[in-house]
């Protein structure tokens, strides 16, 4: 994944970026919040239990509470995924709304007007407001193997973590279905009805989409797919070994363009920095571009070298979601869109 901000990147900063470019700061651990777990999402109703609650997260940490968390605070992408399972949160942090006040792409189907936003940008987290929510638990993703909770400021993490226990769901160095399954399990523990028709159907559609992508990749093994992200001065090419989407695409047979391991070392394995003059370094038939609002979108790229790329000239550029909302409903279109692109691609590289 990538964020069009950092020119100097710590290993942690890269993790958070998800594999294309860094957010330019160090990741940090998260705290907690609370939320009404009785939310519904098209027929999926969460009914929180009054008994003890236990959940083991991807840091190996087991959180134990006397009752199922009701007041939940979560990273925006996690909140969006929980909402798809009928679980609502009270507070969120991370990219929630755009500069014009609309919902960010990472907010999914959430009505952000009903949420307490603790921080909308990197480094922002209102601890005082967080405390007023009397959080039961704070949930975020993990972009490293050190247990660093995503989008919680390093400088204030100790204060935040004192207010409530935290749960981390890893999206680092594994395939998408692994993270999806753990978020699904978390949602179930919080009261989601995972046997509801909508949830069951969503999972089936994801599996069907995966088979479609596998078939498309097998039928078109020569189609090269490059994962890119754009900033003002740098074009980032992601390697596939750490990002949950790219690792899964590769496992399904997609021909991912790979920078060399030696080149990737500078970013901790995530991506290669290219100047716009060298944006044509890697031949590609399809370019999948970071869709996060922190990056420059394809329609806004004015660099002549970009416009001359064969994939761009052929109209074979589609969106990539480096930080997928971890519900089957939201991840299915990711697979379908890439499958369709490969099915219809012309060999141009």
């Amino acid at each position: 994944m990538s964020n069009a901000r950092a020119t100097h990147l710590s290993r942690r900063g890269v993790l958070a970026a998800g594999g294309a470019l860094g957010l330019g700061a160090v990741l940090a651990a998260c705290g907690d919040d609370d939320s009404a777990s009785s939310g519904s999402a098209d027929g999926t109703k969460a009914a929180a239990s009054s008994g003890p609650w236990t959940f083991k997260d991807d840091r190996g940490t087991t959180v134990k509470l006397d009752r199922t968390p009701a007041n939940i605070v979560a990273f925006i992408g996690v909140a969006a995924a929980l909402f798809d399972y009928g679980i609502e949160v009270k507070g969120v942090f991370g990219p929630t709304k755009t500069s014009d006040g609309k919902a960010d792409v990472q907010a999914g189907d959430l009505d952000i007007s009903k949420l307490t936003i603790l921080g909308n940008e990197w480094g922002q987290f209102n601890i005082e407001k967080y405390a007023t929510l009397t959080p039961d638990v704070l949930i975020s993703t993990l972009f490293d193997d050190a247990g660093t909770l995503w989008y919680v400021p390093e400088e204030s993490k100790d204060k935040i973590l004192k207010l409530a226990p935290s749960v981390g769901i890893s999206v680092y160095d594994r395939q998408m279905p692994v993270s999806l399954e753990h978020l699904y399990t978390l949602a179930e523990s919080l009261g989601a009805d995972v046997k509801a028709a909508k949830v069951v159907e969503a999972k089936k559609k994801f599996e069907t989409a995966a088979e479609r992508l596998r078939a498309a990749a097998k039928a078109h093994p020569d189609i090269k797919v490059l994962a890119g992200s754009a900033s003002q001065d740098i074009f980032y090419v992601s390697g596939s070994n750490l990002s949950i989407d790219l690792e899964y695409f590769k496992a399904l047979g997609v021909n991912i363009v790979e920078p060399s391991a030696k080149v990737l070392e500078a970013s901790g394995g995530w991506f290669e920095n290219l100047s716009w003059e060298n944006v044509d370094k890697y031949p590609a038939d399809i370019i999948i571009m970071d869709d996060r609002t922190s990056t420059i979108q394809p329609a806004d790229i004015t660099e002549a070298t970009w416009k001359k790329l064969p994939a761009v000239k052929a109209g074979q550029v589609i969106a990539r979601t480096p930080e997928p909302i971890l519900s089957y409903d939201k991840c299915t279109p990711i697979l379908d869109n890439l499958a369709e692109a490969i099915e219809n691609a012309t060999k141009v590289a």
Side-chain angles (χ1 to χ4, degrees):
M1 348 228 108
S2 66
N3 266 320
R5 287 182 214 173
T7 51
H8 73 288
L9 295 169
S10 66
R11 179 169 177 273
R12 286 182 174 182
V14 174
L15 317 168
L21 59 111
L23 282 169
V26 179
L27 313 186
C30 287
D32 305 51
D33 188 85
D34 66 315
S35 137
S37 63
S38 59
S40 62
D42 290 346
T44 303
K45 185 160 184 174
S49 165
S50 59
W53 182 80
T54 300
F55 186 80
K56 185 176 182 179
D57 74 359
D58 286 319
R59 299 169 300 179
T61 299
T62 299
V63 178
K64 297 180 179 181
L65 298 174
D66 292 337
R67 59 183 177 84
T68 301
N71 294 334
I72 303 170
V73 169
F75 173 69
I76 184 63
V78 172
L82 290 175
F83 181 79
D84 285 350
Y85 292 114
I87 304 297
E88 295 184 10
V89 307
K90 281 193 172 180
V92 296
F93 53 95
T96 303
K97 61 181 179 181
T98 59
S99 57
D100 59 2
K102 296 180 180 178
D104 187 274
V105 64
Q106 295 193 63
D109 295 331
L110 288 168
D111 182 349
I112 63 173
S113 68
K114 296 181 179 180
L115 297 171
T116 297
I117 301 174
L118 303 174
N120 193 62
E121 298 179 4
W122 183 257
Q124 294 180 348
F125 196 108
N126 190 318
I127 301 175
E128 291 73 22
K129 188 180 292 186
Y130 175 58
T132 66
L133 296 175
T134 59
D136 293 323
V137 69
L138 181 148
I139 309 170
S140 190
T141 48
L142 308 170
F143 275 97
D144 62 12
D145 54 9
T148 309
L149 291 169
W150 191 217
Y151 258 84
V152 176
E154 177 72 17
E155 62 274 13
S156 56
K157 68 176 183 180
D158 291 341
K159 293 181 179 179
I160 294 168
L161 291 172
K162 287 180 180 178
L163 296 175
S166 61
V167 167
I169 300 296
S170 181
V171 289
Y172 171 72
D173 196 18
R174 64 200 57 208
Q175 294 177 26
M176 184 185 289
V178 177
S179 298
L180 274 171
E181 182 64 27
H182 206 187
L183 195 291
Y184 172 94
T185 302
L186 173 61
E188 182 178 22
S189 77
L190 293 170
D193 180 5
V194 296
K195 294 182 179 180
K198 179 185 176 181
V199 176
V200 173
E201 184 64 19
K203 194 170 185 179
K204 288 182 179 178
K205 287 182 177 179
F206 176 83
E207 293 166 352
T208 299
E211 289 309 310
R212 178 186 179 185
L213 181 54
R214 188 192 303 276
K218 184 176 182 179
H220 305 279
D222 58 334
I223 295 298
K224 297 181 178 180
V225 177
L226 181 147
S229 186
S231 69
Q232 183 175 352
D233 301 316
I234 301 173
F235 184 80
Y236 302 84
V237 178
S238 292
S240 66
N241 290 329
L242 298 178
S243 302
I244 61 171
D245 61 332
L246 300 183
E247 283 205 13
Y248 192 43
F249 298 162
K250 183 171 64 174
L252 292 174
V254 176
N255 186 354
I256 303 288
V257 172
E258 298 279 5
S260 71
K262 184 175 182 179
V263 170
L264 291 173
E265 284 180 7
S267 67
W270 287 101
F271 55 83
E272 177 179 356
N273 299 3
L274 295 178
S275 66
W276 284 105
E277 289 75 15
N278 296 316
V279 73
D280 59 353
K281 178 177 180 179
Y282 297 105
D285 302 293
I286 296 172
I287 301 175
I288 55 176
M289 289 292 289
D290 190 336
D291 67 355
R292 289 175 295 181
T293 53
S294 58
T295 68
I296 300 175
Q297 297 306 300
D300 299 318
I301 298 175
T302 59
E303 301 290 340
T305 49
W306 163 262
K307 295 181 178 180
K308 291 179 181 178
L309 293 177
V312 175
K313 293 171 68 175
Q316 294 178 174
V317 178
I318 66 170
R320 176 197 170 205
T321 305
E323 291 188 59
I325 292 172
L326 294 175
S327 72
Y328 292 104
D329 181 66
K330 293 299 183 295
C331 286
T332 295
I334 294 173
L335 304 185
D336 276 332
N337 291 342
L338 181 54
E340 181 179 10
I342 293 175
E343 291 163 355
N344 297 326
T346 299
K347 181 68 181 174
V348 295

